[in-house]
Each structure stands twice: as C-alpha cells, then as structure tokens.
Amino acid sequence: MNDGTLKTLFHPFDTGLLEGPGADARVLFLNADSGFVLPEGFPENVTLQQDFRPIFRALEGGTHTVIPQPDGEGYDLTLVLTGRHRGQNELWVAEALKRTREGGRIVVAGGKTDGAASLRKRLADLIPIDDHASKNHGVVFWMTRSESTDVAIEALEAANPPLLLDGGFLTVPGVFSQEHIDPASKLLAENLPEKLEGDAADFGAGWGYLSVQLADRAPAIRTIELFEAGFSACVAAKANMNNLVRSVESRVLWCDLLAEPVERRYDVIVMNPPFHQGRAAEPSIGEGMIKAASAALRPGGRLFMVANRQLPYEAVLESAFARHGETVRDTRFKVLWAVR
C-alpha cells in the first residue's frame, strides 16, 4: 500500500464527486492503511480493520477503533482499500456489502497494477457500479447497497472459499502459499532432525504447515507456539493445529516479531522468513527474525530455517549465534541451522 492509493480512495470526497457521510455516520474502513487523512464531512471516529499486525499497531492509539477482522453491521459507508490478491479483494467487497446498511455506500480503490480496474469490471457483472474515477495510478469506484446485492455477496463468497490442501491443511484467500504447500517450507520440514525435544516456536508460521510437520516428525517436542503477523493466517493455523496435531500443546500468537518482544524461551525455533514487503525485496525482515530467534532461544537452543539461496543470512547468523551451518540446498533454497 502507499499514499497514492489512499489519495485515490478519498479522491471522490476531496473533489466533490461524493459528499462526506456526515459527522454522525458510522464508517467502516476495510484493509485500512496508516497515514490516511479523512476529508471534511467524516466523523471523528471510524472503525478501521487491518489484518497485518505491523500496520494494525501503527493505526492504534488514535481516535479510531481498530479491529483485526470485519465486524458489525449497518454502516452508512464502507471504504475498501484493495491489495494484490484477487480472492482477498473480492471477499473484502463481500464483507463491505454485508456490513453496509441498505442505501449505504461502498467505495473501493486500488492500484491499477494490482488489478483494481479488473475488479471493477468483474463486480459490474454482479452489482450496479454507480460511478468510477482514476487518480494517482489507481482506480476508485462506488456502489449502493440494496436488497439485490445479496446475490453478489453469495457469488463472491462462493468463488473464494477456504481450501483444503493435501494432508488436510486449511488455507484461506490472501495468505502466503494459499493454493499449495510452499516448496521451501517442505524442504525444511523434510530435513528437520527427528530427535528434537522440549519447547518449540515457529516464527512467521503462516497457516501452520511447519508446526504440524515438526510435531509429527519430533514426538519429544512438548509445546509449540506459532508466531504470525497475519490475523487470517493465525485463524487458519489454529484450526490446522487443532485438527491435525493431537500430541503437542500449541498456541497461536498474532505478533510482529520485528517490534514486539517474545516473552518465553525455547529449545527449538523453526522458520521460513518472508523476504518481500509488497513487491520490494526486504532481506532485513529475515535478518530481524534471526536476531529475534537468537534472543528467544535458551542457551544451547537450535534454530532451523530455510531461505532462497541468494539471501546472505550467514553474516547475521555468525553474529547472533555461537555456531551455524548449512544442512542442504537445492536449485532454489538452502536449509540453515544455528545454535545459541
């Protein structure tokens, strides 16, 4: 997300194409980003929904109500800031339609390169679009909630159901590797030692694949705590641990590992750290998670991680751990280990 997309979203209100909802209106903002400025004619408090923990934390502390998942009904206006994932965008629009009162307005905006124009065209086949505009390399369009939009809600939800992958793993639209088991995580799981024991953590757990594999491969593991920054992924991870793991006590924590402290200490940490923020490569995310893992391990505790071959994580492993090495690599990934 960026400031340009936010300006696109509020462009109709700033230019008079749309009137503000009024000081007493109930307003919901789905996928809200930090740094927005409400135009004139908006209430002082709106409800902001944000799934991603770092942005959620940046939105906290102001006059607005911040929630991780859509909630409530009867809103007069719902704003939707779209992202890059088609299915997730369509589900956000379905949520907006469900939670807006009849006669209320839904305003949707996103970048052209993220498919906002295509989204508008798809929705036009399901629900009348009142109007649209282009601004700041983005598209904004708006519609009115009516009884007939129930059909659109059903169609959007039916087109984007949760998925069950091989092994019974539940995933939902918008999470990393929604449609298949990530090959890097699979390589790490296949190369985890079987004699691991004690308390474990999964940093950047996603929908829980590595934790399920760890519990299955190392029966002496007592507990696993899963740390994940995406709330929807946390929900899926909790379901997968409850459904697929019987012998290990587990807990899922919605957490920004780069900014929030880890309270417990562990004997084992596994992770497949993300290295992109949007489209930009950000190896610093993985470096920060390695440092967080070092701080969260007990003396003698072990880290097992997987990364793209070209990412230079060995330097930070050298500085943060007593010793480290490489277990295996293939044409794309490498599995690394380190001891606290």
Side-chain angles (χ1 to χ4, degrees), residues 90-290:
E90 292 183 354
L91 289 177
W92 277 329
V93 173
E95 288 286 352
L97 291 170
K98 283 194 296 186
R99 300 183 185 282
T100 305
R101 64 169 175 81
E102 188 171 343
R105 178 171 284 128
I106 298 96
V107 180
V108 182
K112 291 181 179 179
T113 57
D114 290 337
S118 298
L119 175 64
R120 177 180 67 82
K121 293 176 181 178
R122 291 197 303 277
L123 291 173
D125 293 332
L126 300 173
I127 182 174
I129 304 296
D130 296 338
D131 206 349
H132 71 279
S134 297
K135 185 71 174 178
N136 300 307
H137 306 290
V139 175
V140 57
F141 57 94
W142 51 96
M143 63 200 88
T144 303
R145 174 72 160 94
S146 67
E147 288 184 0
S148 64
T149 55
D150 289 342
V151 175
I153 294 170
E154 293 175 2
L156 291 168
E157 291 181 337
N160 301 284
L163 297 181
L164 275 179
L165 307 185
D166 289 345
F169 291 99
L170 172 73
T171 73
V172 294
V175 301
F176 171 70
S177 196
Q178 175 209 351
E179 297 181 345
H180 56 82
I181 294 169
D182 173 60
S185 294
K186 187 173 185 292
L187 182 66
L188 174 56
E190 291 172 345
N191 287 278
L192 289 173
E194 296 181 2
K195 294 184 178 180
L196 298 175
E197 59 184 16
D199 301 311
D202 184 347
F203 278 15
W207 41 263
Y209 170 78
L210 275 176
S211 289
V212 172
Q213 296 300 311
L214 175 62
D216 181 64
R217 188 174 182 87
I221 292 291
R222 292 189 302 265
T223 65
I224 303 177
E225 292 194 329
L226 295 77
F227 292 79
E228 170 55 41
F231 195 89
S232 296
C234 285
V235 174
K238 185 174 182 179
N240 287 326
M241 293 301 288
N242 289 341
N243 294 336
L244 302 176
V245 177
R246 294 287 182 263
S247 59
V248 176
E249 178 185 345
S250 65
R251 186 168 66 133
V252 180
L253 298 99
W254 187 41
C255 178
D256 177 7
L257 285 164
L258 302 186
E260 296 180 274
V262 176
E263 300 298 334
R264 288 189 63 191
R265 296 296 175 261
Y266 306 97
D267 301 293
V268 177
I269 293 177
V270 297
M271 68 179 186
N272 177 7
F275 64 95
H276 280 91
Q277 186 73 41
R279 287 187 171 87
E282 291 285 354
S284 61
I285 298 173
E287 293 169 358
M289 290 178 64
I290 290 171

Side-chain angles (χ1 to χ4, degrees), residues 16 24 51 54 64 69 81-82 87-88 95 102 131 155 201-202 247 249 261 278 285 292 296 307 336:
D24 296 326
D51 173 278
H64 305 299
Q69 289 189 309
L81 192 64
T82 64
Q88 189 175 56
E95 288 286 352
E102 188 171 343
D131 206 349
D202 184 347
S247 59
E249 178 185 345
I285 298 173
L336 305 173

